[in-house]
Amino acid sequence: MQPAASPSSVRPSRAQKSCAECRRRKQKCIPSAPGTPCNNCVKRWPPVPCIFPPQPAPKGAQHPSQRRVHVFSAKAPKVPVLPSQAVPTPKSIGGVLSSINCLQTTRIEATSRNNELMDFFIGYVSPNLVSIDGRDPPVVFRTLMLPWMLQSPLFPKIALLMASLAQIREMRHRPRNSTEPLLLKSKVLKMMNEAVAGTHDRSDIWRCVIHLVVVEWFWGDDGSMWAHLRGLRDLVASRGGLWALNDPLFQSVLILADYAIACCFERDLCVLEGKKSGAFLLPVPAEYSAYLASPVRAHTKTFTDLEELLVLPPDTAKLLDDIRALTVAIAEAAAQPTTTASRAQIQSTAAFIRERLKATEEKDLEELSSELSDDDRIARIIRLAAVIHTEAVIKLQPLTTIKMNRNVDVKLDRAIKVVASARWKRMPGVFLWIMLVAVAQPTSETIGDFDLGNEEDGRRRWLRRKLGAAAQAVGQEEFGLSIAYLRAFWLVHRWIDREGKQEDEEGEEGEHSERGNPERQE
């Protein structure tokens, strides 16, 4: 009788440690904790099953384990943990690039500068795109949007461009190579042109183009931004239109960007141009978190009801309710021809609100002292934004052309920066309205790509980035709600522009008729 084999003498068969997807892609599989997908599969987008082959039972085992195939869903992929707003320091060469280069992406040269830029993108740029204070990005972003961006074969180089521009614009960082942004931009455009000319997946290309639009809008050149946006419109049209695309996340981001940019410049929509833009809206939930409430759209609760939740003084809450009533009335009027009487009624409502604001105007225009609390500052900022908003309605002049006395617009921008971003994060819907008013103020023409010496240009770019973050902060909760907010404010722009032109035409007709009437001339 042969002795039983001891556990130490049992030699297991050679096990296959790679999952099926990594073997198919001929990648080195990096298993993670037992019972979870490997480190490669959790990053893949679209999600794929992570299937490990059955492991053979050890020889001589008394009770062989059953052969099992473990399939792990990657619907909620793991992504790098995004730190707070602190700027990440460069890591050893490899770092995050090792994880990205093992994917099916355009390979990035493993240099210390590229590693620094990619760390900066993941740690600072990407969370600040969707979070007002750059901290605690929403779960939707961490589990869907960031993998959706990084898993694109073309996107990593765009991420380097974003990081380089953000360091220069926001951190005043001067790279050793002063032409770094231009070199990165030329590489990105070359890469995009090659992809368009080749057999590359077009769905991936339009994801990259929308990010190029964002790059130019936040940090670059307005002319290039419009060129990219028109190119994206043509690309979408060639695929049968927006709703023919089988990419809900891209559709949401594109519609939101189209409305946000149209509000910023007070122009017609670009991608949805020539169509009934309302037909492309995403559904708005009947109920949503009260802290998302905004004065541009009706809500089941008034701001007076939300005083405690949003930490607002009673008079400020009443003001927001008045602004909401005015905005809702204009948005409804914008959908149909407006009579002279209805226009006068809307203007009188705006004038009533404006008259009430004169009581605190002197105090609001003073420089904010350090003794004031953030709650007091926010009350002043809301009043300043209401002054600008109502003036545009009363005078029927677009925000991008109206001339405000005593630099109200500049003082509004400075006041916004004084309040802690974490405080604005508690009321993203209100903050979005404030940014929509502030960002459309008169600005100088774009000087050129990546100019660093113009203070006005820097102020404008900062407002745009905060507007985008506010829209995304609401959108990460409910994309349909964020788009509805932007559309409501855009309708206010369109109504002011339309009625202003109509009033000018009526005035010209009145002058001509008066000149042609001999009795009036006498």
Side-chain angles (χ1 to χ4, degrees):
M1 181 176 178
Q2 294 184 1
S6 63
S8 59
S9 63
V10 175
R11 181 174 298 177
S13 302
R14 184 175 182 181
Q16 176 59 260
K17 297 182 180 181
S18 297
C19 69
E21 186 66 17
C22 286
R23 290 203 311 275
R24 185 182 72 82
R25 295 174 178 259
K26 297 183 179 179
Q27 293 179 334
K28 180 180 179 181
C29 188
I30 309 175
S32 55
T36 61
C38 72
N39 290 341
N40 291 340
C41 286
V42 296
K43 301 174 184 177
R44 303 191 197 282
W45 187 260
V48 297
C50 184
I51 304 173
F52 282 93
Q55 301 299 314
K59 293 182 179 180
Q62 190 173 2
H63 299 287
S65 60
Q66 297 179 352
R67 295 185 177 182
R68 296 178 181 176
V69 176
H70 300 283
V71 180
F72 308 109
S73 173
K75 291 184 179 179
K78 297 179 181 178
V79 295
V81 177
L82 298 178
S84 300
Q85 200 166 352
V87 180
T89 56
K91 300 179 181 179
S92 59
I93 297 178
V96 68
L97 294 186
S98 298
S99 300
I100 293 176
N101 283 337
C102 75
L103 306 175
Q104 298 299 311
T105 64
T106 302
R107 191 169 183 84
I108 298 177
E109 185 181 355
T111 64
S112 58
R113 178 56 178 162
N114 284 347
N115 203 70
E116 175 188 357
L117 289 175
M118 190 57 68
D119 280 335
F120 187 77
F121 173 81
I122 293 177
Y124 178 85
V125 176
S126 58
N128 275 278
L129 292 177
V130 295
S131 175
I132 293 174
D133 64 349
R135 300 175 184 271
D136 303 321
V139 176
V140 173
F141 174 77
R142 290 186 283 109
T143 60
L144 287 178
M145 288 196 69
L146 186 57
W148 177 75
M149 290 168 5
L150 289 178
Q151 297 308 306
S152 161
L154 307 177
F155 183 79
K157 287 189 180 297
I158 299 177
L160 296 181
L161 175 60
M162 281 186 169
S164 177
L165 288 171
Q167 281 190 347
I168 294 173
R169 288 282 190 182
E170 301 179 33
M171 304 299 174
R172 298 300 177 184
H173 173 76
R174 296 277 183 173
R176 292 182 179 179
N177 185 357
S178 60
T179 61
E180 179 184 80
L182 293 175
L183 292 174
L184 288 172
K185 184 178 179 181
S186 64
K187 291 180 180 179
V188 167
L189 294 177
K190 179 182 178 181
M191 174 190 68
M192 293 292 297
N193 291 331
E194 292 174 351
V196 171
T199 58
H200 197 275
D201 179 18
R202 290 298 178 93
S203 63
D204 185 67
I205 293 175
W206 62 56
R207 294 177 188 177
C208 293
V209 176
I210 189 62
H211 284 96
L212 287 180
V213 172
V214 172
V215 167
E216 300 294 356
W217 186 35
F218 288 172
W219 300 292
D221 175 68
D222 292 347
S224 298
M225 178 199 70
W226 290 116
H228 289 317
L229 202 55
R230 287 190 294 268
L232 188 59
R233 176 193 61 193
D234 297 340
L235 185 62
V236 170
S238 68
R239 296 300 298 267
L242 187 61
W243 292 131
L245 307 179
N246 187 24
D247 194 339
L249 188 55
F250 169 77
Q251 292 167 334
S252 302
V253 173
L254 177 58
I255 296 174
L256 188 146
D258 200 19
Y259 272 107
I261 292 173
C263 288
C264 179
F265 292 89
E266 291 190 299
R267 293 177 53 164
D268 289 329
L269 300 171
C270 182
V271 177
L272 305 180
E273 185 181 32
K275 303 179 177 66
K276 295 181 179 180
S277 57
F280 290 88
L281 294 181
L282 300 180
V284 180
E287 297 182 2
Y288 50 87
S289 300
Y291 86 101
L292 296 175
S294 177
V296 298
R297 198 173 194 273
H299 190 267
T300 54
K301 293 184 178 181
T302 65
F303 281 100
T304 303
D305 298 330
L306 301 175
E307 285 179 16
E308 185 176 351
L309 176 66
L310 301 179
V311 194
L312 294 172
D315 56 342
T316 305
K318 180 62 171 63
L319 174 60
L320 289 174
D321 284 327
D322 292 340
I323 292 294
R324 172 186 279 168
L326 175 65
T327 305
V328 170
I330 295 176
E332 293 175 352
Q336 54 191 356
T338 307
T339 63
T340 303
S342 61
R343 180 206 305 159
Q345 183 177 3
I346 290 175
Q347 287 179 291
S348 64
T349 302
F352 173 75
I353 299 173
R354 178 70 182 89
E355 187 65 26
R356 287 173 50 196
L357 293 170
K358 289 183 178 180
T360 58
E361 188 168 352
E362 290 295 330
K363 181 177 66 175
D364 293 338
L365 291 175
E366 295 176 359
E367 294 296 330
L368 297 178
S369 65
S370 58
E371 299 177 356
L372 294 176
S373 65
D374 274 353
D375 296 338
D376 293 333
R377 295 188 182 107
I378 286 175
R380 285 195 182 188
I381 290 168
I382 291 175
R383 289 194 293 266
L384 289 175
V387 167
I388 298 173
H389 192 137
T390 52
E391 283 279 354
V393 176
I394 295 169
K395 298 178 180 179
L396 294 180
Q397 293 183 8
L399 292 173
T400 49
T401 59
I402 191 172
K403 301 295 183 182
M404 297 297 301
N405 295 329
R406 305 177 66 179
N407 295 325
V408 175
D409 53 336
V410 176
K411 292 183 178 181
L412 173 62
D413 301 345
R414 292 174 179 172
I416 293 172
K417 293 181 179 180
V418 174
V419 176
S421 298
R423 181 66 178 85
W424 289 124
K425 195 173 183 178
R426 296 171 56 185
M427 47 195 309
V430 175
F431 184 62
L432 177 58
W433 166 70
I434 294 172
M435 297 311 300
L436 285 168
V437 173
V439 78
Q441 288 302 293
T443 56
S444 59
E445 295 296 327
T446 301
I447 296 178
D449 280 5
F450 320 130
D451 179 79
L452 299 177
N454 185 268
E455 181 179 355
E456 172 68 17
D457 185 63
R459 181 179 74 91
R460 172 182 55 185
R461 302 286 175 184
W462 182 87
L463 291 171
R464 292 182 186 180
R465 292 192 293 273
K466 286 300 180 182
L467 169 61
Q472 281 286 351
V474 178
Q476 294 296 311
E477 296 283 341
E478 297 289 350
F479 262 112
L481 181 63
S482 182
I483 293 171
Y485 285 168
L486 293 171
R487 174 175 167 77
F489 199 83
W490 176 76
L491 288 174
V492 173
H493 285 322
R494 297 297 85 206
W495 183 86
I496 291 175
D497 183 66
R498 184 185 72 187
E499 297 305 312
K501 293 177 180 178
Q502 181 65 28
E503 189 176 60
D504 291 342
E505 292 177 359
E506 292 173 357
E508 292 178 359
E509 291 177 0
E511 290 180 3
H512 289 313
S513 60
E514 185 174 343
R515 291 173 183 174
N517 190 334
E519 295 181 0
R520 290 188 178 183
Q521 290 180 358
E522 293 177 1

